[in-house]
Amino acid sequence: NAGVTQTPKFQVLKTGQSMTLQCAQDMNHEYMSWYRQDPGMGLRLIHYSVGAGITDQGEVPNGYNVSRSTTEDFPLRLLSAAPSQTSVYFCASSPDLARNEKLFFGSGTQLSVL
Amino acid sequence: DAKTTQPTSMDCAEGRAANLPCNHSTISGNEYVYWYRQIHSQGPQYIIHGLKNNETNEMASLIITEDRKSSTLILPHATLRDTAVYYCIVLTGANSKLTFGKGITLSVRP
């Protein structure tokens, strides 16, 4: 298993540009989520999904959209990037967080918005 | 979910036990205590979790007080590779929102 795969690893955007951060997992996990981490800070939850077709907001959802059309993929869309979205983004998955299963994290995407 | 309080940082000598404390005085009966760690800029890594009994796995031991208001993560023989930020989180999985605080930075010195 490759685990949780995030692409790209690095990205530079200009203010106002749009892009999609990709996240895929090959472990047949129902639960997937996106976090952002700013320098010196802990991780903050952006959006999460408990299964295909179901998404919900986390702590900091503004400026981000998600969809979950398949179990494997959970892309994060920035519709109009802003400098405040400069951060490291982590995707995570779990077999079933509601049953206290652990989270598996990807290696992160470092995003800079100029 | 209950809030947790951790010291900002601590250090220990290589080969010694590292005892990382966490306070969660408002924990409710169905909330689990989880520990994750983040080495440098990598994605966080699960370490261990428990409800009320002490737990041990190949990475660490988790000691939860009888009143469940605090816990301690024990790395029995710390190595330089254990230098990381350690996050203590309490959660009921049904909430589906695992949120991280700032954690405690553990520095293992040679």
Side-chain angles (χ1 to χ4, degrees):
Chain A
N1 288 348
V4 180
T5 302
Q6 291 185 237
T7 55
K9 291 191 184 301
F10 302 94
Q11 183 70 47
V12 179
L13 293 177
K14 294 182 180 178
T15 298
Q17 285 185 316
S18 63
M19 81 158 295
T20 299
L21 307 185
Q22 302 291 344
C23 176
Q25 51 90 11
D26 61 357
M27 299 174 282
N28 201 32
H29 287 173
E30 290 295 322
Y31 180 92
M32 296 186 74
S33 57
W34 277 102
Y35 290 86
R36 62 175 287 174
Q37 185 173 33
D38 300 318
M41 302 289 289
L43 286 81
R44 291 185 291 170
L45 182 65
I46 305 172
H47 285 284
Y48 66 97
S49 167
V50 298
I54 305 168
T55 63
D56 207 344
Q57 296 181 349
E59 302 172 86
V60 288
N62 292 340
Y64 306 95
N65 282 350
V66 293
S67 61
R68 185 94 181 272
S69 56
T70 67
T71 299
E72 294 77 18
D73 300 298
F74 191 44
L76 179 71
R77 298 184 185 86
L78 285 70
L79 298 178
S80 179
S84 60
Q85 294 178 305
T86 293
S87 191
V88 180
Y89 291 84
F90 290 101
C91 178
S93 73
S94 172
D96 186 350
L97 198 65
R99 289 206 319 258
N100 298 297
E101 299 277 357
K102 61 186 178 183
L103 274 174
F104 295 80
F105 282 83
S107 57
T109 294
Q110 188 166 323
L111 175 68
S112 295
V113 183
L114 306 177
Chain B
D1 292 329
K3 184 182 173 76
T4 63
T5 304
Q6 300 177 257
T8 303
S9 63
M10 66 176 291
D11 64 21
C12 75
E14 189 176 20
R16 304 299 294 268
N19 298 306
L20 286 72
C22 181
N23 287 322
H24 31 79
S25 58
T26 60
I27 194 169
S28 61
N30 62 346
E31 287 183 315
Y32 282 72
V33 180
Y34 287 78
W35 284 84
Y36 284 79
R37 74 179 182 184
Q38 187 174 26
I39 297 174
H40 193 44
S41 301
Q42 299 176 20
Q45 175 190 26
Y46 167 85
I47 301 173
I48 199 166
H49 75 284
L51 184 62
K52 49 186 174 183
N53 297 323
N54 297 338
E55 301 286 346
T56 295
N57 63 20
E58 66 278 4
M59 291 182 68
S61 295
L62 174 60
I63 309 298
I64 302 173
T65 57
E66 192 167 340
D67 63 7
R68 302 211 324 122
K69 293 184 177 182
S70 66
S71 60
T72 301
L73 178 74
I74 301 172
L75 308 179
H77 305 287
T79 70
L80 298 179
R81 288 174 297 192
D82 292 322
T83 292
V85 178
Y86 288 76
Y87 298 98
C88 170
I89 304 158
V90 293
L91 170 75
T92 172
N95 190 313
S96 293
K97 293 184 181 181
L98 191 67
T99 55
F100 291 73
K102 293 187 179 180
I104 178 172
T105 299
L106 173 67
S107 300
V108 180
R109 60 181 187 276

